[in-house]
Amino acid sequence: LEFCICCSFETIIIYSKLSIHFQYTFNRNPDNLKIPQGSGGAEAGKTLTDPNLTMIGGSVTNPADVAKVFESGPIDGVIVGLGGKTSDVGDTMLTDGTINIMNAMKEKDVKRIAVITSIGAGDSKDQAPFFFKVLMATAMKKIFNDKNNQEKAVFESGLDYCVVRPGGLTVEAPTGIVNVIDGQAGSITRADVAEFCLDAVTMEDFPYIGKAPCISSVGGTGWVKDRSKAARGEE
């Protein structure tokens, strides 16, 4: 499978996966991409280069730039991990950029997409911790308006989507455990979120297509794929 990762200021990918999947990454400034903490280990912070990774620069709000990615080669699925302060990227970047991506997907008949939003978006408001709800109503009000509109666009797209709502993000090493949360979500590493998104676009029978699961590595039940060492019988 070949897939594209569209990202803004925060690249949410698993470094070790680059040797398995031939990928395209679309970023405003590819030269700024670094090996991520957590999954990057001792290489974290170094410039991200890999023969299996094609990095394409451009703005996700420019349909012509987005189209360049889909003209670069066959794509089977897309992971959208857009982010940034509204003061830097505007009030509607998440929605506008995601719509541009989905339009390009439809033109190329690409069906599978995973879109990372956040705990607290859409109907998951009550799953956010109290302090986070306060931020959502104040300092983060604009970004959550954009996230909510982004999710609505995905829900109405007709694509095989999974909207991924992670709990509090950390930069620790991946735990290999991803739980789908019905109640208040805890924390989760960025690498574990990335694993979940990779499953969403590569697993034919992924159980959360057409859904918007809240995920964390702390608490909750529902996701049966446990990649921890204990689950593999290695400890």
Side-chain angles (χ1 to χ4, degrees):
L1 291 175
E2 300 167 354
F3 59 94
C4 168
I5 300 171
C6 297
C7 50
S8 182
F9 293 106
E10 180 180 9
T11 305
I12 192 162
I13 64 174
I14 294 185
Y15 180 57
S16 62
K17 289 291 183 180
L18 296 180
S19 62
I20 301 174
H21 299 283
F22 181 76
Q23 306 174 16
Y24 305 94
T25 181
F26 179 59
N27 187 274
R28 180 175 295 181
N29 190 345
D31 293 336
N32 288 341
L33 289 178
K34 307 295 182 183
I35 296 173
Q37 297 183 48
S39 59
E43 299 296 308
K46 295 182 180 179
T47 300
L48 179 60
T49 60
D50 192 281
N52 292 327
L53 183 66
T54 300
M55 290 180 273
I56 302 170
S59 172
V60 74
T61 58
N62 183 338
D65 284 351
V66 175
K68 289 190 301 185
V69 182
F70 290 84
E71 295 296 337
S72 299
I75 293 174
D76 295 292
V78 176
I79 298 172
V80 179
L82 300 173
K85 297 179 181 180
T86 54
S87 58
D88 295 328
V89 301
D91 294 348
T92 62
M93 183 274 291
L94 302 178
T95 304
D96 296 342
T98 302
I99 288 174
N100 287 339
I101 293 166
M102 294 190 298
N103 286 341
M105 290 176 64
K106 292 175 183 178
E107 289 183 5
K108 295 296 183 179
D109 199 31
V110 180
K111 299 293 187 183
R112 191 68 70 93
I113 183 172
V115 181
I116 304 165
T117 60
S118 173
I119 190 73
D123 59 8
S124 70
K125 180 179 180 180
D126 292 337
Q127 293 182 257
F130 174 75
F131 77 91
F132 197 65
K133 291 179 183 178
V134 174
L135 291 175
M136 288 165 53
T138 54
M140 300 179 71
K141 186 174 182 178
K142 287 184 178 180
I143 189 66
F144 268 88
N145 285 339
D146 197 9
K147 286 182 184 293
N148 291 336
N149 289 331
Q150 177 190 30
E151 287 196 352
K152 184 174 184 292
V154 175
F155 296 152
E156 297 174 351
S157 68
L159 298 172
D160 296 336
Y161 69 82
C162 179
V163 170
V164 182
R165 296 166 171 169
L169 294 171
T170 73
V171 293
E172 304 301 321
T175 67
I177 299 173
V178 177
N179 294 325
V180 172
I181 304 297
D182 293 324
Q184 184 170 305
S187 62
I188 186 168
T189 70
R190 285 167 165 79
D192 286 327
V193 174
E195 279 278 14
F196 189 82
C197 291
L198 286 170
D199 284 342
V201 298
T202 59
M203 286 178 59
E204 184 176 351
D205 59 348
F206 188 72
Y208 296 100
I209 295 301
K211 299 180 180 180
C214 297
I215 61 173
S216 78
S217 297
V218 180
T221 57
W223 176 236
V224 298
K225 181 173 276 192
D226 184 343
R227 296 186 181 81
S228 65
K229 289 184 178 180
R232 298 194 300 267
E234 298 177 6
E235 66 178 18

